[in-house]
Structure formats: C-alpha cells, structure tokens
Amino acid sequence: MTFHLLPQKHVRPSESLLGIGAVVLKSLNDRPKYLDEVWSDVQKTEAIKIRLHGSVSLDTIVLAIDFLYIVGAVKLNKRGQLEHASN
C-alpha cells in the first residue's frame, strides 16, 4: 500500500502520514511512550483496522513520527520516550 503525506480526493486520511500522525498524537495524550508502545496503540485503533483492512507497518509509524517531529508536534524526552512538544 502506498502512503501519501496529505489526504487527497482519492486518498483517505487514514492512508496519509498526516492522518496516521493524528492517531499517533492521540496515543500520546495520556503519557509519554516508547516507539513500541505507540505502534501497539496505533495497531489497536479501530479506525485504522477498518479503513486499511489490516494494520499499519512499523515503517509507516516511523515516517509519521518523523513528520510530526519535523513540524514540531512531538519531541523525545530524556528517557527516549515520545511526547507532545507542548509538554
């Protein structure tokens, strides 16, 4: 499956890095998490399961996290966990 940076007319938000990034940010709402915890949370998300007919690969999660880091939405704390940049 091909992923795009932004959703388009024929690309669902769940198939874009921006859409998956939103799920990643939601996963980080309660506390900072390690990459494997975020990946597990995203795979459990019903919206992702339904729209993608399966799960999201680790490569795609890493790309979404890279995108979020570049735009300043997430950061790494001293323990190497991901957290919202506003924290």
Side-chain angles (χ1 to χ4, degrees), residues 35-50:
L35 177 60
D36 59 337
E37 294 173 300
V38 173
W39 185 33
S40 177
D41 287 350
V42 172
Q43 286 184 319
K44 292 176 187 173
T45 303
E46 285 301 316
I48 295 293
K49 287 182 183 178
I50 293 167

Side-chain angles (χ1 to χ4, degrees), residues 23-58:
V23 177
V24 169
L25 285 175
K26 184 178 178 186
S27 169
L28 297 173
N29 275 343
D30 53 346
R31 64 181 175 84
K33 296 180 181 175
Y34 292 105
L35 177 60
D36 59 337
E37 294 173 300
V38 173
W39 185 33
S40 177
D41 287 350
V42 172
Q43 286 184 319
K44 292 176 187 173
T45 303
E46 285 301 316
I48 295 293
K49 287 182 183 178
I50 293 167
R51 290 189 179 105
L52 294 182
H53 307 290
S55 62
V56 178
S57 71
L58 179 60

